[in-house]
Amino acid sequence: MSFSFLVPAFLAGLLALAIPVIVHLSRRQTKDPIHFPSLMFLRNVTQKTESRRQIHRWPLFLVRCLAILLLVLAFSRPFVNWTSAAASAPLTGSREVVVLVDRSFSMGAGDRWQRAQQAASEAIDGLRTGDRGTVVLFDSNAEAATESTIDRNVLKSAVQSAEPSTRTTRYAPALRYAARILSSSPLPRHEIVVVSDFQRSGWDADGGEAASLRLPAGTVLTPVPVADTAAVSNVSISGAEFERSTAAGRERVDIVGRLTSSGEVTAPVSVRLEVGGRPVASGIAEFSGGTASVTFPPLTLPIDGDTRATLRVGEDALAVDNEFNFVLSSDQRVGVLIINGPGAEEGSFFIERALAIGDSPGFRAEVRRSNEVRSVDLTSNPVIVLNQASIPAGELGERLRQHVERGGGVVMILGDNSLGQWEGVLPSVGNAVDRSSGGGVAVGYIDTGHPVFETFAGPRNGDFGTARVYRYRPLPNGTFPRVLARYGDGGTALAEAPVGEGRVLVWSSTMDGQWNDLSLQPVFLPFLHQLAKYAAGYTPPRSWLTAGDPFDAAASVRANETYSLAITPSGEQVSLEQGVPLSLDEIGFYELRDPGTAGSSLAFAVNVDPVEANLTPFDPAEMASAVQMAAEGGAVSGGIGELTLADREREQSGWWYLIIAVFLLLIGETLFSNRGAGTAISAAWDRVRNRAGGNGNKSSSGLKAS
């Protein structure tokens, strides 16, 4: 044991002890003069005076010196450094043992889980009288199954009642949890027992995070591997791809399943496609290099509702990844309503034909004349295209504004017709600018950072400069928050204005081949598709989610839909509170419902993470070595580790007590100096000193009244 300082340089502050000495020695005693009318009544007497300056108020002086001394020591951060034989030899006494049990879904392979339960029980049986233990179950997170206890039956019961989860493996959270338990334990000996299959993917996922952990000094790390020594063959379905098409007004989807294998697969693997729980097709997967794929015949989707489907392979070492669930929406096409103004039918032809070619997503286009539009047409289509049509007025105009504010989109193609005004969005627009005499102008600038044009950002992805624009309507400068494209003469080609949760995009020319030749250029098709997708606020739907991911219902449902109840694959009903994510811990199909609306529901699928399906292990010595290599700290497998000086000082925190002592001394110093207590004590001190001999005095003459 030795007494050390974390910041010894602050000890130079002890020079400040000279301050009280200087203050006390420079103190001068003041006397009030007494005026006499005459000296005839005074007689000459001998008066004793001091020949040199001395410290009179010793108690006050010592208090001030002690306050400065303690303050300097507090800044130097003192601590007791327990070293020597006590740190180099194993400690004796009771142990605090944390048993970390891996419950990731890879532990369900073969008899690994049974082995893990047996190994954990044996570690618990090894507890002796006075030892305490804690069982911590971990996968991607860590959770204590018990509190620290001496009752071995409680610990073993927690192990026997646990089951593998559907989540992946992470070792760093478990080791960090164990470090917190051991750091708060008063017992002298610390031990961590890690029961796991030591899966390589889980260790790599930590990214070396375990090496930065700090475990208490003397912690013993004992790994207990439970994986088979022989290679285990496991086939898992890692994902699926979908390609949609339309035939006879019905949507069809081609499904391609993706498979991976851990270990050698020598024979073809049969894969079955189930829809609604019933087999509808099967295929054969031929593995090459650990991967395979299988394609199924096109599946025709119903007109309404969602389709729940599952890909399934036969039984093998790990059953939980032998199925893959997904949900297919019946119709993911984006509805586009094209409203034609007078004489704009030719422009709508180009637009309609371009949208009909689209896929991923597809588009469902409807065409109406401006005098044929009904309110229901606006609510059933996410995108409204005003093709040289005036802005609707009255009730229809109000419905259009509400449609945009709730998340819909409007694309305005100006042309030469009278447009009217949209307050706060589009003011009156001037007459057309004619550039035909000079051969037209090109689109000289596009904002490739915007979703409409991001597909044209790379080389050889389309050149807008080849299109020529002969006429366009001038848009007032400063009207739109964002200009997405400009002509070569500086005029605005495409601009955007947000309205509520939706958006309005204005194209200042036409799309009929008369004011420009854009519809004849290769960029026209992808440009129109991106324009419609952005106006609709389209995001590709996810056909499945991964177990363990948080699910926010408010951010995942369709527009204008709310759900207050979730039904898990096991049938449990979970209330969806505002802002509280739904934990996805089961494999299968979840369903969101609104009890107040009949037939309102939304289904989604959950699968295990395919990364965990790779059963390749790593050497447990890597974990012990990584923890041991942490800078001057951590645990040593079967040995004793050391904490850093900063860690030791942080655990003791003696400087806080010194600061408190300084505070109390300063309060006492104030009382001594301001209330006379110091003077009285100092006077008593002087009387004692004078009785001892009164050294340092000499006589001098003086006057005394007679």
Side-chain angles (χ1 to χ4, degrees), residues 626-669:
V627 175
Q628 181 181 4
M629 289 175 62
E632 295 188 36
V636 181
S637 180
I640 300 299
E642 295 254 351
L643 290 177
T644 63
L645 296 180
D647 290 336
R648 295 192 183 109
E649 190 278 331
R650 190 180 301 112
E651 289 180 354
Q652 299 177 24
S653 300
W655 68 280
W656 275 104
Y657 303 101
L658 296 177
I659 291 293
I660 294 174
V662 170
F663 179 74
L664 295 177
L665 286 173
L666 291 179
I667 293 177
E669 188 272 345

Side-chain angles (χ1 to χ4, degrees), residues 416-441:
D416 205 18
N417 293 330
S418 175
L419 303 174
Q421 297 185 22
W422 190 337
E423 184 179 354
V425 179
L426 182 67
S428 59
V429 181
N431 295 328
V433 177
D434 192 346
R435 298 295 188 217
S436 58
S437 59
V441 294

Side-chain angles (χ1 to χ4, degrees), residues 79-98:
F79 65 96
V80 178
N81 188 10
W82 301 94
T83 55
S84 69
S88 60
L91 297 173
T92 60
S94 300
R95 296 179 300 160
E96 183 73 47
V97 180
V98 180

Side-chain angles (χ1 to χ4, degrees), residues 530-549:
Q530 291 296 110
L531 191 66
K533 285 168 57 177
Y534 178 73
Y538 173 81
T539 55
R542 298 182 63 179
S543 297
W544 70 87
L545 300 173
T546 302
D549 291 345

